């Protein structure tokens, strides 16, 4: 079972923000912004490439509710999903990073040395 499935079933503790029947939002253990939240479906979907439109439609208002709850709806935020190896995905359970709480830089677009990443 993957680590996020273990968070869903309570085997691994998490700092939860919001939960409903289908989705869960909790603080990232290693934040890279003043607010860094992970939003996941409770069922195991490996990555964005595997998710269907129905789930994406359902998770959208959930993500918006999390942003509102954290006060980011007016100040702004960034929503990111890393897909697969080149995308830098480390946990193979679909998750969206909700980042905010300060003016964000636009980095991580490419490896520092383009030649090394090819
Ligand atoms: P990825 O690189 O797959 O897009 O992001 C995985 C994220 O999960 C990372 O930001 C990492 O800090 C976070 N993470 C990994 N393990 C745990 C954990 O056990 N608990 C929480 N809350 N976050 C985790
Ligand atoms: Zn999982």
């Amino acid at each position: 079972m993957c680590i996020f499935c273990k968070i869903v079933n309570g085997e691994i503790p998490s700092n939860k923000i919001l939960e409903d029947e289908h989705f869960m939002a909790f603080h990232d253990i290693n934040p890279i912004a003043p607010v860094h939240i992970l939003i996941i479906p409770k069922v195991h979907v490996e990555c964005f490439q595997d998710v269907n439109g129905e789930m994406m439609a359902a998770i959208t208002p959930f993500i918006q509710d999390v942003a509102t709850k954290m006060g980011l709806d007016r100040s702004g935020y960034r929503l990111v999903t890393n897909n697969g190896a080149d995308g830098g995905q480390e946990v193979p359970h679909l998750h969206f990073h909700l980042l905010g709480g300060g003016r964000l830089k636009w980095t991580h677009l490419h490896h520092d040395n383009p030649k090394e990443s090819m």
Side-chain angles (χ1 to χ4, degrees), residues 100-117:
R103 202 58 63 95
L104 301 172
K105 290 182 184 167
W106 186 244
T107 55
H108 310 108
L109 288 179
H110 203 281
H111 195 280
D112 288 339
N113 182 345
K115 284 185 179 160
E116 269 180 39
S117 69

Side-chain angles (χ1 to χ4, degrees), residues 28-37 78 80 97 99-100 104 107-108:
D28 195 292
I29 204 167
N30 187 21
I32 59 160
V35 178
H36 186 172
I37 295 159
R78 184 170 299 157
V80 176
H97 298 258
L99 303 160
L104 301 172
T107 55
H108 310 108

Side-chain angles (χ1 to χ4, degrees), residues 4 8 12 16 20 43 47 49 59 62 72-73 88 91 104:
F4 286 177
V8 170
I12 295 177
K16 217 181 291 175
D20 72 8
V43 297
C47 62
Q49 194 60 30
I59 205 169
F62 184 83
L72 302 178
D73 53 324
V91 177
L104 301 172

Side-chain angles (χ1 to χ4, degrees), residues 2-5 44-45 92-93:
C2 90
I3 59 169
F4 286 177
C5 282
H44 185 88
V45 174
H93 181 130

Side-chain angles (χ1 to χ4, degrees), residues 78-100:
R78 184 170 299 157
L79 187 67
V80 176
T81 187
N82 297 327
N83 188 94
D86 276 3
Q89 185 177 4
E90 287 177 357
V91 177
H93 181 130
L94 175 67
H95 53 281
F96 295 90
H97 298 258
L98 183 67
L99 303 160

